[in-house]
Amino acid sequence: MLVARSIDEFRNLTPPDAVVAATIGNFDGVHRGHRELIRVTREKAAARGMALGRKVPAVLVTFDPHPVHVVRGIARPDLLTPLPRKLELLERAGLDAVLVLPFTREMAETPAELFVREILVETLHATDLVVGFNFALGKGRAGNYTALRALGESLGFSVTQVQPVVVGKETVSSSLIREHIRSGNVENVVPLLCRMHSVDGEIIHGQARGRTLGFPTANIDYGNVLLPPLGAYATWLQILADGPKAPPLQSMTSVGTNPTFGGGVITLETNVLDFSGDLYGKTVRLHFASRLRAEITFKSVDDLVARLRGDAEAARAALRRTPGEPLH
């Protein structure tokens, strides 16, 4: 999958006479709704390619950093998928190319018509645009479906609106998935994401307190990824250097502040069950399978250790019910 991080780079990497089928959006999570947009975009690209007798790529225009970082001034937006993970999932979904545009205040103030002319027409040479049911772009979100169709008629591209994807009684969206995660309902996101919610990060040195308790933990530098609420979780751990087909490891994980020892910043610490290797410095992917309990302040270290033993058994039982699929 071709990845360009500027307009100039995209132009340099593609033939001057190339045309594309495009979709636009932040695509945080690359959830089932996003996958449907990609499927329709690929379908439009294939149909256009048949008509023209040549390959027409399916392209996503996305943004980095997340727009809320700029528009709302949020320093650490709660992401479902930071850019590297998002690009990995987009490639698996079958896109041919992604144009990652730097999102700035200037871009936030760009009128929809100017964005369409500069990006879709002059840069991508888009023949087809696929958008979601609630999509809008440009200053004041003026570039809605109706406006885009009018622009398409005058500038020479077709616009297709994809209807919402509904799972059970829920309309799939990034905001809905965040709501479930913030509520601790990590199991509920699996049918929406087609996988468990996960966090990538490097194992860093922590307080090493777990080792003295008989439950050594790996402290994960989790960056800007959304964490579920404070508590204990049954999780699967993948060591990314071992490759995507390496079997995941059972683990129990604490999202917490260590209140029994005086509290502090929120940390993400995982105890890999029945594992004795050294994880320091490795990059891992932690998948949240099930919430075991809320964070507790224990009266004594002995009470904490006893509860950790119970958590380990509860995690094993939960992971038997939620095998290490779907992880990707």
Side-chain angles (χ1 to χ4, degrees):
M1 182 180 76
L2 182 152
V3 178
R5 295 174 185 266
S6 70
I7 292 172
D8 288 342
E9 185 178 11
F10 187 89
R11 288 172 175 167
N12 290 335
L13 292 174
T14 55
D17 62 342
V19 298
V20 310
T23 186
I24 306 176
N26 195 57
F27 279 48
D28 188 25
V30 194
H31 54 59
R32 288 183 69 163
H34 296 142
R35 290 168 185 260
E36 178 64 7
L37 286 167
I38 292 170
R39 185 194 68 78
V40 175
T41 305
R42 293 179 63 196
E43 188 178 81
K44 294 294 181 182
R48 187 69 64 177
M50 287 285 290
L52 297 176
R54 58 186 168 118
K55 168 72 174 179
V56 172
V59 178
L60 167 67
V61 180
T62 192
F63 309 97
D64 188 61
H66 194 290
V68 300
H69 180 90
V70 175
V71 176
R72 301 181 191 173
I74 297 176
R76 289 172 62 104
D78 288 334
L79 299 177
L80 300 173
T81 48
L83 184 59
R85 174 66 162 148
K86 180 163 69 173
L87 292 174
E88 175 189 333
L89 292 166
L90 291 171
E91 183 170 19
R92 289 181 182 174
L95 281 172
D96 297 301
V98 177
L99 171 57
V100 183
L101 293 176
F103 195 88
T104 62
R105 289 193 177 277
E106 182 181 7
M107 177 169 285
E109 293 297 313
T110 301
E113 182 174 355
L114 181 59
F115 182 94
V116 168
R117 287 181 180 273
E118 290 187 348
I119 306 302
L120 289 181
V121 177
E122 296 174 9
T123 299
L124 299 182
H125 308 298
T127 57
D128 300 85
L129 174 63
V130 177
V131 299
F133 69 99
N134 60 353
F135 177 81
L137 61 80
K139 182 178 180 180
R141 292 179 58 82
N144 57 25
Y145 173 62
T146 302
L148 290 171
R149 280 195 65 183
L151 285 170
E153 289 174 3
S154 64
L155 297 174
F157 60 88
S158 70
V159 183
T160 301
Q161 186 179 53
V162 176
Q163 294 306 302
V165 174
V166 178
V167 175
K169 296 182 179 180
E170 296 183 314
T171 298
V172 180
S173 69
S174 299
S175 57
L176 172 66
I177 292 166
R178 291 190 195 97
E179 181 182 324
H180 280 309
I181 294 170
R182 289 189 179 111
S183 300
N185 301 319
V186 293
E187 301 98 327
N188 292 1
V189 307
V190 174
L192 310 179
L193 284 171
C194 300
R195 65 183 186 282
M196 298 176 194
H197 177 55
S198 64
V199 174
D200 290 3
E202 182 181 346
I203 301 298
I204 57 176
H205 288 276
Q207 298 295 319
R209 190 178 289 119
R211 192 173 301 277
T212 66
L213 302 176
F215 291 90
T217 59
N219 194 309
I220 302 173
D221 183 5
Y222 58 88
N224 293 341
V225 181
L226 176 63
L227 295 181
L230 304 185
Y233 294 84
T235 51
W236 292 99
L237 186 82
Q238 288 180 295
I239 302 171
L240 295 185
D242 291 347
K245 295 185 179 180
L249 304 171
Q250 293 188 345
S251 61
M252 64 174 182
T253 296
S254 166
V255 179
T257 60
N258 292 301
T260 303
F261 298 97
V265 299
I266 296 175
T267 60
L268 180 63
E269 301 177 68
T270 189
N271 169 251
V272 186
L273 303 173
D274 308 314
F275 179 80
S276 59
D278 184 2
L279 293 174
Y280 283 120
K282 294 184 182 295
T283 300
V284 299
R285 179 167 293 157
L286 186 74
H287 305 266
F288 288 90
S290 179
R291 191 173 198 225
L292 302 176
R293 60 170 173 83
E295 184 175 61
I296 300 171
T297 302
F298 294 93
K299 294 181 179 179
S300 69
V301 171
D302 288 343
D303 288 346
L304 169 59
V305 171
R307 188 55 187 260
L308 289 175
R309 292 194 184 105
D311 289 342
E313 291 308 309
R316 288 187 177 93
L319 293 172
R320 284 194 295 270
R321 297 193 300 270
T322 56
E325 294 290 345
L327 296 182
H328 303 296

